[in-house]
Structure formats: C-alpha cells, structure tokens
Amino acid sequence: MTDTASPDTRQRDADDAGLAPTHGRPYGSVAVAGVPAPDSNSLRDPQDRRLPRIAGPCGLIIFGVTGDLARKKLLPAVYDLANRGLLPPGFALVGFARRDWANQDFEQIVHDAVKEHARTPFREEVWKQLKEGCRFVPGELGDDASFERLRATIEDLDRERGTNGNHAFYLSVPPRMFPVTIRQLKEHGLADQSPRHWRRVVVEKPFGHDLQSARELNRIVSEVFPPEAVFRIDHYLGKETVQNILALRFANQLYEPVWNANYVDHVQITMAEDIGIEGRAGYYDGIGAARDVIQNHLLQLLALNAMEEPVSFDAKSLRIEKQKVLAAVQLPRRLDLHTARGQYAEGWAGGVKVPGYLGEEGIPADSRTETYAAIKLEIDTRRWAGVPFYLRTGKRLARRVTEVGVVFKRAPHLPFAETATEELGHNTLVMRIQPDEGITLRFGSKVPGSQMEIRDVTMDFAYGGAFTESSPEAYERLILDVLLGEPPLFPRHEEVELSWQILDPIVNYWAEHDKPDQYPAGTWGPASANEMLARDGRTWRRP
C-alpha cells in the first residue's frame, strides 16, 4: 500500500519540521530558540520526549535499492530525517543492487527519488551533505566478491565519514533472498558485534509464508544477529494513529473501564484498498490477502486493541502483553461459516472500468489466490470472553480505508417507547488509521422537537485539525528507531510465529476447498462475507 501526502500535508511538514531555524546549517543539529544547536552526541534525559532523538554516527545499507519500496519510501524517508535534523553529519547511505552504476549514478537515483517522493521541501544544503555520504556497491546477493566490495566500502566510510563501525542492513529484497543475504553478512564479517560498534538487520514483511518457514527464517537470523539487533518492519506500527490506540486506551480514564466483554458487543478491524495488484503479480499471486495483510497488520492491530495495560511502554513490556493476546486467540470451530474469501472481478473503480484479478497481467487464468479475506476470531481471556473480533481486508473495494471499530452493546432503553429508539444503532468508537486519521464516536442524542426521539450522532476528532505538528511518515519513524536501537514498534519472532499459528489453519482449509467467491470491483466484497456476520446477527460497517 502506498501512502501519499496531500499538498496541505506537505505544507504543514514545511511549517512544522523546524526547517526555518535550521536554514543554512547542515543536518544533524537542531536549533532551539536562543540556545546553541546541540551536538548529536550530547547527553540527553531519555525521559524528556520534548527533545528530538538524533541518531549517533552510523550508516544505512539498503539491499535492493533499485526497487519501488526503496525509491518511494526508504530513500525519501532518509532525506526527510536529514531535513528534520535527526541524522548525524557523517551519516552514510549505501546502495547495493544488480546495476553497473558508479557512485554518481546512485546519487542521481537518490536525488530523483527524493525530489519526487520526499514529504519535506528540497534544500540544496541538506542534499549536498547527504550526497557526500552516498556510495553504491554493484553486485549479486550470492556473490562473495560483491560482499567483499561492500565490506571495503563500509571500512572506507568508517574512516572518511566517522561512522564508527555502526551500520544497519536493510533487506529490501524478495523474502526468498533473506537467508542468502544474512549468511553472506556473516561470512564476510559484516554482522560481527563488538562493545565498540553495533550491527543491525532490518527484515521487511512477509516473515515467511507459513509457520514452518517463519521458524526457519527466525532460526537463520538468530544464528547471525542477537535478538536486540533484529528489526522486523511492519510499517503500520510506525503510524501515529496506530500508536494513538495505546494513548486513547491508557491515558484516558473514560475508555478503559468499558473496554471489555461487559460493554463491547464486537470489534471490526478493516483494511480496504481501492486499487488492484498494481503490477505486483509476481509477488501477490500465491500469497493472497490473508498472508499479505491479516498475518501482520491486522493481527497487530487486534493485539494492540485487546492487550492488557503494560507496566511501561518499553519494548519488553509491550511485547509481553501482545504475545499474551495472540496466544489466547481462538479460531472458530466452523471455518466454512466464519471465514470468507473472494477475488475481484471486473467492475468500476474511480469511474474507470477495470479488469478482474484473473484478467490482470501475469495472473494465471486458474489462480485461486484470494484478494479479499475475512475471518472471525475470539480471545479466550476474562476481558474478552465471548466478544468476536472480525478482521477483513481486500483489494478493489469501494474505498481506501483502515480503521478499528469498537461496537458497544445496546442499552436496554427501558424508559423509552419502542418508537423513540427505532433509529438508534450501537454506540461505536472508530479509530481511523488512514487516510482521514482521527477518531469518531457515535452515540444517541435527542432529536430537537416536542417528542422524545433518539437518533445517532457523531463526535469527530481529526489529527489534521487538532495539532499543529504533522505526523512523520511511518518509515521515517521506523528507520530512526533502527538507527537509535529502539525496538518498541517492531514485532519479535514470538509474535510472528503466534500470528502464523492463527492463520495457517485458515489458509490450509481454503486451499482444500472451492475457489474464492467473485465480487465486482468497486464493491465491499463477496456476499459470503456479509453472510458470515449475518449468522451472528451483525453487519459490517460501511466506512
């Protein structure tokens, strides 16, 4: 999924990124009114979140730097961090890919990606200093000579740029290439840890394609890197609106007392896309919506909404509570009745007629890969016993939206005549993750007039209208956390394996049964998904 910033957002970024005070100065220092810019290595109070977190001397090596992820997300995020003054002056950026490029060619690629996709304004002085640390290493992931060139490049950067041996390796490559890349890092001494420097690895999703492959990948990674040096990227966890779930729940006395089975009827977690596979047939076919989205994004959202209050927001405490929730998830006994899958057919999207999934370039005519998946889960804990969690995701749906809807039980309405509340639905708290980030609360209110008539109304909080600060893009936050060595937003291997334990029985069941149901592009999915909720006397929300 691609997040795009509106012109208004770009302008807010320019206003809020602290750019005006830093004009004319290199990145790596941040000015506070009347105070000299602090050095990136100066001591800070780790509890004082008002101060910016600036990475120390380090470098970032991106494998697969020619891919869409690097061009549209990673390289612009690095520039935006530099523009915000959050990278050290000697920061180094190394690209590794199968291209016969010189350093100057790579610099141009980075420049073009930044100009097209960066969220903060382009500034020559920032670009000039970032460019000085750019290097490119041509090569193959399985080629020893290529990794020897990479090792020599890193050693040169340590001397020239003062990166001090601190390097993070970002694996923006197909998952099948993770093992060979990690083994090469080990064999050429690039993963060696010491008290004087750190080495870290960043692994993009998917983390395997089932439980067995995830365990094998985790075994390979753990043989080379210690657990604290492994960062598994789930970019959804870097979104401000996802992190705000914890603030909403635990910083407010209003919500936590009713966040349980006594008051909650059910929870709906939706990630809908209005686009198709967008030329990603080679990746998507055989993976499908459940593996691509539910195993990581949606189960992480479930865990954050259902977890108990952690003793603190450090990585270990958060991980413990999320693992408890995932370990307590129960699958429905009848997978035929409480799961649904679909495949988009031709239809209309944005006023344009679009092909069905089987008509997309590169998709076999007999493909059984689902582009829509919906499942019902329950959590076997005292807090959530009997409360269903409905998860759904799909492509070519009616609109792009990601949200969590907490639907509360109906009030008994004993004082009211039946006709007074006939238009009243369930109280619902909706946390909008994207694109209209915010929170909506739906509740009943009296209609003006002489009669006692109750009707649903909403109160709405929008991030864009409530704060002058703009939210950093998810990859900015996550890359900075990698360079700082702060892991709260990264799932550990235990969470990954628990997620596959939940999903494997479902995708295995689907593999043994009929093809996915067809649904017209531009709709909200197959009829079987509506029937799934209708069996429980419920309906899907229409965002």
Side-chain angles (χ1 to χ4, degrees), residues 485-531:
E486 297 187 359
L489 302 180
F490 299 84
R492 287 284 288 271
H493 70 89
E494 296 92 345
E495 295 173 59
V496 172
E497 292 180 9
L498 285 169
S499 297
W500 281 120
Q501 286 182 19
I502 295 167
L503 193 63
D504 270 2
I506 296 173
V507 295
N508 290 340
Y509 171 82
W510 287 345
E512 297 171 358
H513 290 75
D514 294 336
K515 292 182 179 180
D517 300 325
Q518 298 288 299
Y519 62 94
T523 65
W524 279 108
S528 56
N530 296 327
E531 294 164 3

Side-chain angles (χ1 to χ4, degrees), residues 209-210 286-288 290-291 335-336 339-342 366-370 372-373 503-517:
H209 61 272
D210 57 15
I287 299 294
R291 288 188 176 102
L335 294 179
D336 57 331
T339 68
R341 61 175 180 149
D366 59 349
S367 174
R368 297 177 59 181
T369 299
E370 82 280 354
Y372 178 99
L503 193 63
D504 270 2
I506 296 173
V507 295
N508 290 340
Y509 171 82
W510 287 345
E512 297 171 358
H513 290 75
D514 294 336
K515 292 182 179 180
D517 300 325

Side-chain angles (χ1 to χ4, degrees), residues 1 11 63 68 74 86 191 194 222 237 266 292 294 300 308 318 380 450 454 456 514 543:
M1 170 173 288
Q11 184 57 51
F63 293 96
D68 274 358
L74 305 184
L86 300 177
S194 88
S222 63
L237 298 183
H266 70 281
D292 189 41
I294 292 180
Q300 283 289 323
E308 297 297 326
L318 284 171
D380 191 16
S450 59
I454 312 296
D456 282 335
D514 294 336

